[in-house]
Amino acid sequence: MFYSKEELTERFKERFGQMEKRDNAAAYSSMASIVQEFVEERRNMTHALYKESNEKQLYYISLEFLLGRMLRSNLSNLGAYEVASDVLRDAGFSLEEIEEQEVDPGLGNGGLGRLAACFMDSLASLGLPGHGYAIRYRGGLFTQHIEDGFQKESPVHWITKHDQWDVRHEELAVEVPFYGKLIKHEDGAVEHEDAIWVKAVPYDMPIVGGNSGPVNTLRLWQAEPCGRPLPVGVDKGQYEAATAEISDRLYPDDSYDEGKLLRLKQQYFLCSASLQAIFNEGGFPVKELPEHVAIQINDTHPAMAIPELMRILMDGHGLTWDAAWAITTRTISYTNHTILEEAMEKWDQWLLKELVPRIYDIIEEIDRRFKATLPGGLNEKERHKLAVLDEKQVKMAVLAVVGSYKVNGVASLHTEILKKREMKELYAIFPEKFHNKTNGITHRRWLIQANPELTELITESIGDQWKREPERLAELAHYGADTALLRDFQAVKRLKKNQLIQAVKAAGDNAIDPDSIFDIQIKRFHGYKRQLMNILHVRMLHDRIRNDATFRPHPRTFFFGGKAAPSYHFAKQVIKMIHAVAQQVNSDPVARKYLHVVFIEDYNVSHAEKLIPAAEVSEQISTASKEASGTGNMKFMMNGALTLGTVDGANVEIFEAIGEDNAFVFGLSAEQVMRFEAEGDYRPAEVLEEDAQIRQLIAELEAGELSDGAANAELVIRQLGAEEDPFFVLRDLNSYALAHERMVEAYGDQLAWQGMAWTNVAHSGIFSSDRTIQQYSDDVWDLGRFRLKV
């Protein structure tokens, strides 16, 4: 149990009294340090419990963990949020205000990292021994600034002297080798000569679960110079600068060779340091590794964990190839997060040969041995699809499948596409490996923490057992016809909308109508996520208002948030378009009564915690077959927003759960998209010939009216050209507009709307990450449950 109010008051007064300044920053630092010390003690207890039990543990390796702020999360999961609020209030502070002092950790970008964070929360809350491994990026992804509508990037600077949550463990540092040359001896031993070594120093961050569960660990590796002599010709200053780069930035620009080498350095650095740590802390015979350790690689970024584990087993422990391979392929499992060709990582072979020669040597042997096992009768295309090394490239997704014992997609549709199309040949060889684990979200952060008012209303209706068993939210369905309850539900949404309005006002936007429909699309910018279609539709509405005096729709506020990768210039042009259209719409004396466009600068988890509870319409409009799962769709659903979306990713399972009459479905199906792609018979020009309104829209785009000049939309214009439109924006645009019309019509009957929203909340429990993690544990990891004795 956490401290009583009296104990916490005493500790806070003692800590706060030592601060030089008595302000919000000092109050935050005082409270955070108290909580950090408490959870660090519990983390040490957890570590001792796991070690004593000698039971199997999970290690989840991911380049991203998008955690969000830690103070509120930790207090909430400890069941101490109210007592901390009371103590601070008595001292003249607001917990909501002091937590604004905390900067979101710069450890992730989008859904991949947020999923990993949800999984860490669920592992701890379920009492499962699971830990994360990542890199301690000093500069994070980047801070997004908007200048004249254009995205500009600068470092995050989330690590400060006041940081409370991760603890350095110099004594647990390991060393990672790069470059050099291999010397192979007759007895099979391998020496790595003239390597450049980098020290990996762990910073351990406690992961506090709900339900009085154990406190697991997220270990973050920081790259630092080590004390080994440098090879002849290597400049010390250049070495130190190159070392610092490894843990400086998430996703460095890989459009050039230096950037590719840096990304590969990061990936191998993470894999090698993490695997060395697992062995250093093991305490069991190496041949028993699969009985004691499960390693999950989150997408292809950590795929080098497979050859690195082989290296450690063979070079470090003297195992034969066959013995090491048997262990590796019973220890590592792989989650695939995409069907996009660009995200199925492929690296030029020379890059790995130069950077990690021993790892490349092992990959070569994996490829040779795997090809030798392939059945006869395969055609050339099938053999290419099954090759780890192919056309002078290393195909990381193939490596991940070949070297793991389980492979999963993250939504039912995604997994079927992997099996039937993207990884069809691999599935034919390894059908027993493939399985589905639909993603989930932690209801503790995305409902209990983000929306306490709705949490209270739910608890008043069905009790509080749902907080521990989120599937019990289904009991809310019994109250879907309770008019008084739905009115209370509507009042909660109104409150959250007003809270968001106040937050946006603080950022300088004073024109949001609380009676407008809050329509929100928040996710990283990419062509397949189709923010472009969203803003083109806003322009269509603007044109109709200007040209048709009888068209005066229900007011709508369109919120956008997300970042474009620095080198993804198409996505950056879409951001510019959003700002250009926003300026036109928001300054139009007539249109602004009915439309308003808001772009949330530097969108992050903390912004999401305000946006999602206020949303009434959830834009999930990816090109069908392109979104692996999505988790934003689940967060919005859990907070009572209605999905306006395609039959893609986890939308499929959401629509199955709630019924399509409680959502607004539009667009091509995945089968239709894949058929168009296979046959190559989609012609955007035909859409333009048939639709005068879309022709007018494209004419405005080409004239530069939607982007302050055509040059600012050059890549957008090219992508929507007569022979392009790879994400079927023009093909789906009218269907999308009609879905919006159905949505506005439905919004006119507020009682019915609230009933639809209530149905969404009632069926959201199955999308808790607790369900996902328990399925992983049962089907893949085979973990036992633990409880701390406190």
Side-chain angles (χ1 to χ4, degrees):
M1 294 291 292
F2 194 64
Y3 305 118
S4 67
K5 181 178 179 181
E6 293 73 20
E7 291 173 311
L8 184 58
T9 298
E10 190 63 32
R11 288 175 181 270
F12 180 76
K13 286 180 178 178
E14 178 183 333
R15 198 68 52 93
F16 188 64
Q18 298 171 4
M19 297 291 168
E20 293 181 5
K21 293 184 179 180
R22 296 176 177 272
D23 55 14
N24 279 339
Y28 169 82
S29 185
S30 299
M31 183 59 71
S33 66
I34 294 168
V35 177
Q36 194 276 335
E37 288 176 5
F38 180 85
V39 298
E40 183 65 16
E41 181 180 347
R42 287 175 63 93
R43 192 186 74 85
N44 290 335
M45 293 169 59
T46 299
H47 184 77
L49 175 64
Y50 290 164
K51 192 169 185 179
E52 180 183 352
S53 73
N54 204 31
E55 293 291 331
K56 192 174 189 179
Q57 297 189 51
L58 165 73
Y59 299 92
Y60 194 87
I61 305 179
S62 176
L63 269 188
E64 293 189 45
F65 284 88
L66 194 55
L67 297 171
R69 291 171 176 162
M70 303 297 290
L71 179 59
R72 175 193 286 258
S73 176
N74 287 341
L75 283 170
S76 181
N77 280 358
L78 289 168
Y81 191 81
E82 293 301 324
V83 68
S85 295
D86 290 345
V87 168
L88 285 164
R89 190 180 303 112
D90 291 345
F93 294 98
S94 160
L95 181 50
E96 290 78 7
E97 289 180 3
I98 74 161
E99 67 182 359
E100 293 295 324
Q101 301 295 314
E102 185 177 347
V103 180
D104 282 37
L107 300 173
N109 175 24
L112 181 82
R114 187 53 236 168
L115 178 76
C118 286
F119 281 4
M120 290 298 102
D121 179 277
S122 286
L123 282 161
S125 298
L126 293 173
L128 297 171
H131 315 284
Y133 281 118
I135 295 175
R136 191 175 189 255
Y137 308 102
R138 285 182 292 265
L141 181 68
F142 57 81
T143 297
Q144 180 191 59
H145 304 284
I146 302 298
E147 296 179 13
D148 191 29
F150 293 98
Q151 173 182 291
K152 304 295 182 183
E153 303 95 21
S154 63
V156 172
H157 300 307
W158 69 277
I159 299 173
T160 72
K161 64 180 180 180
H162 300 297
D163 180 57
Q164 305 284 341
W165 302 111
D166 57 355
V167 178
R168 181 182 175 95
H169 288 281
E170 176 78 28
E171 75 283 4
L172 300 178
V174 297
E175 294 179 341
V176 178
F178 294 100
Y179 301 104
K181 58 179 179 288
L182 302 180
I183 300 175
K184 297 184 179 181
H185 300 283
E186 290 183 1
D187 62 359
V190 177
E191 285 187 65
H192 201 165
E193 197 172 79
D194 290 334
I196 297 175
W197 294 80
V198 171
K199 182 165 70 171
V201 181
Y203 284 72
D204 286 354
M205 183 177 287
I207 300 297
V208 180
N211 311 328
S212 300
V215 177
N216 289 335
T217 301
L218 172 59
R219 176 161 288 180
L220 306 173
W221 296 105
Q222 182 165 291
E224 298 179 7
C226 67
R228 292 185 185 231
L230 293 172
V232 175
V234 176
D235 179 77
K236 182 180 179 182
Q238 291 178 340
Y239 161 71
E240 291 176 350
T243 297
E245 274 192 318
I246 294 173
S247 53
D248 181 59
R249 187 84 72 250
L250 173 63
Y251 297 142
D253 182 0
D254 64 350
S255 59
Y256 57 99
D257 287 345
E258 291 83 354
K260 291 175 182 176
L261 276 169
L262 179 53
R263 285 192 68 162
L264 277 170
K265 274 186 187 177
Q266 290 182 327
Q267 293 183 7
Y268 181 62
F269 174 79
L270 170 60
C271 292
S272 181
S274 302
L275 285 164
Q276 288 184 61
I278 291 169
F279 276 89
N280 290 346
E281 297 178 14
F284 46 78
V286 68
K287 292 185 178 181
E288 296 179 8
L289 182 71
E291 284 71 53
H292 295 272
V293 167
I295 296 172
Q296 187 79 29
I297 56 174
N298 193 28
D299 220 355
T300 54
H301 310 128
M304 276 191 280
I306 292 163
E308 174 64 7
L309 181 52
M310 292 291 290
R311 182 189 75 83
I312 292 172
L313 291 170
M314 293 189 299
D315 298 354
H317 294 273
L319 271 62
T320 65
W321 179 278
D322 289 341
W325 188 246
I327 290 171
T328 297
T329 53
R330 289 190 295 129
T331 302
I332 293 178
S333 49
Y334 160 53
T335 299
N336 174 280
H337 283 277
T338 186
I339 63 167
L340 296 180
E341 185 70 20
E342 68 200 57
M344 295 275 199
E345 286 188 309
K346 298 176 182 177
W347 297 105
D348 291 339
Q349 292 179 23
W350 73 265
L351 289 169
L352 276 82
K353 278 184 183 179
E354 178 178 327
L355 183 67
V356 284
R358 180 55 171 153
I359 294 303
Y360 181 78
D361 179 58
I362 293 170
I363 292 173
E364 260 192 330
E365 186 64 10
I366 292 172
D367 181 61
R368 187 190 70 79
R369 289 178 180 242
F370 176 53
K371 285 175 178 173
T373 68
L374 295 177
L378 295 175
N379 61 39
E380 185 177 355
K381 180 181 178 182
E382 290 169 329
R383 289 190 173 276
H384 278 298
K385 292 280 283 186
L386 291 166
V388 178
L389 299 180
D390 187 42
E391 298 181 337
K392 298 183 178 180
Q393 290 187 314
V394 183
K395 292 153 59 177
M396 306 306 276
V398 179
L399 173 64
V401 173
V402 171
S404 59
Y405 69 97
K406 287 289 184 181
V407 178
N408 73 279
V410 291
S412 59
L413 175 62
H414 172 231
T415 300
E416 289 307 303
I417 291 173
L418 289 178
K419 293 193 296 187
K420 295 177 181 177
R421 191 180 74 167
E422 296 304 318
M423 291 184 172
K424 177 182 177 181
E425 294 79 8
L426 285 163
Y427 176 63
I429 302 293
F430 302 115
E432 75 286 352
K433 290 188 179 186
F434 283 75
H435 64 107
N436 179 63
K437 292 291 174 285
T438 298
N439 283 343
I441 60 171
T442 170
H443 63 288
R444 283 168 291 276
R445 181 179 283 269
W446 293 109
L447 180 49
I448 296 172
Q449 294 173 41
N451 203 338
E453 297 86 359
L454 180 54
T455 297
E456 183 178 353
L457 183 61
I458 292 170
T459 301
E460 288 175 356
S461 302
I462 61 173
D464 67 356
Q465 190 62 25
W466 69 271
K467 295 180 180 179
R468 293 171 289 281
E469 300 173 38
E471 292 88 350
R472 290 198 171 209
L473 286 171
E475 296 171 17
L476 293 172
H478 300 305
Y479 301 89
D482 187 329
T483 301
L485 181 61
L486 294 180
R487 295 297 184 200
D488 290 341
F489 181 46
Q490 183 180 18
V492 168
K493 182 63 71 174
R494 179 77 174 201
L495 173 65
K496 304 313 285 187
K497 289 174 70 174
N498 281 322
Q499 289 175 355
L500 178 58
I501 288 171
Q502 292 307 310
V504 174
K505 276 186 178 180
D509 191 328
N510 297 301
I512 299 177
D513 178 1
D515 292 320
S516 65
I517 302 171
F518 278 27
D519 182 304
I520 301 182
Q521 186 178 20
I522 43 175
K523 50 188 76 240
R524 69 182 175 91
F525 272 74
H526 195 286
Y528 85 85
K529 293 180 184 288
R530 300 203 290 190
Q531 289 94 344
L532 174 59
M533 185 167 67
N534 191 340
I535 196 61
L536 287 174
H537 174 247
V538 173
R539 178 62 176 201
M540 288 172 68
L541 294 173
H542 186 201
D543 282 345
R544 285 188 66 189
I545 290 170
R546 290 190 301 176
N547 299 326
D548 181 356
T550 66
F551 181 64
R552 294 297 180 259
H554 191 288
R556 269 175 279 183
T557 302
F558 295 90
F559 293 85
F560 294 85
K563 298 177 180 180
S567 61
Y568 193 6
H569 299 293
F570 165 82
K572 295 173 89 168
Q573 288 189 357
V574 175
I575 290 175
K576 171 60 179 175
M577 279 185 60
I578 291 170
H579 283 85
V581 172
Q583 195 281 327
Q584 295 164 13
V585 169
N586 297 350
S587 63
D588 185 319
V590 176
R592 68 188 183 192
K593 298 175 184 177
Y594 308 98
L595 306 174
H596 191 73
V597 180
V598 180
F599 188 92
I600 304 298
E601 187 175 15
D602 198 37
Y603 168 71
N604 57 26
V605 173
S606 295
H607 290 134
E609 290 171 333
K610 295 181 174 67
L611 287 156
I612 290 170
E616 292 170 295
V617 177
S618 164
E619 295 271 355
Q620 306 299 330
I621 60 177
S622 57
T623 308
S625 81
K626 302 304 181 190
E627 185 72 83
S629 169
T631 53
N633 45 10
M634 303 170 188
K635 296 164 195 162
F636 282 109
M637 174 195 191
M638 191 171 278
N639 281 274
L642 302 189
T643 301
L644 192 154
T646 52
V647 185
D648 193 29
N651 286 0
V652 174
E653 288 150 273
I654 289 174
F655 298 154
E656 288 174 354
I658 62 175
E660 290 193 8
D661 55 341
N662 289 300
F664 306 98
V665 184
F666 76 95
L668 295 169
S669 68
E671 292 76 14
Q672 288 172 315
V673 168
M674 290 188 288
R675 185 188 62 77
F676 274 130
E677 291 174 333
E679 299 179 7
D681 57 352
Y682 168 51
R683 296 288 181 268
E686 295 175 3
V687 177
L688 296 177
E689 290 170 7
E690 295 171 2
D691 195 297
Q693 188 176 19
I694 294 180
R695 279 202 309 276
Q696 173 64 26
L697 199 63
I698 297 303
E700 293 173 359
L701 180 62
E702 292 174 338
E705 295 177 23
L706 309 190
S707 52
D708 300 331
N712 295 331
E714 177 188 0
L715 297 176
V716 175
I717 294 167
R718 188 184 308 167
Q719 189 168 110
L720 294 180
E723 303 302 325
E724 294 287 338
D725 196 17
F727 299 114
F728 300 86
V729 170
L730 299 183
R731 180 66 173 74
D732 273 351
L733 187 53
N734 267 332
S735 179
Y736 178 61
L738 290 171
H740 269 272
E741 290 181 9
R742 298 198 308 273
M743 179 271 293
V744 173
E745 182 180 1
Y747 196 81
D749 184 342
Q750 268 298 293
L751 190 60
W753 179 279
Q754 299 307 324
M756 295 165 70
W758 188 260
T759 297
N760 273 262
V761 178
H763 289 87
S764 65
I766 60 172
F767 296 105
S768 167
S769 51
D770 287 9
R771 182 265 313 154
T772 313
I773 287 298
Q774 191 60 59
Q775 288 177 342
Y776 270 113
S777 182
D778 293 343
D779 301 341
V780 184
W781 303 328
D782 190 27
L783 304 178
R785 285 198 176 197
F786 291 81
R787 279 286 176 262
L788 288 181
K789 296 178 181 179
V790 293

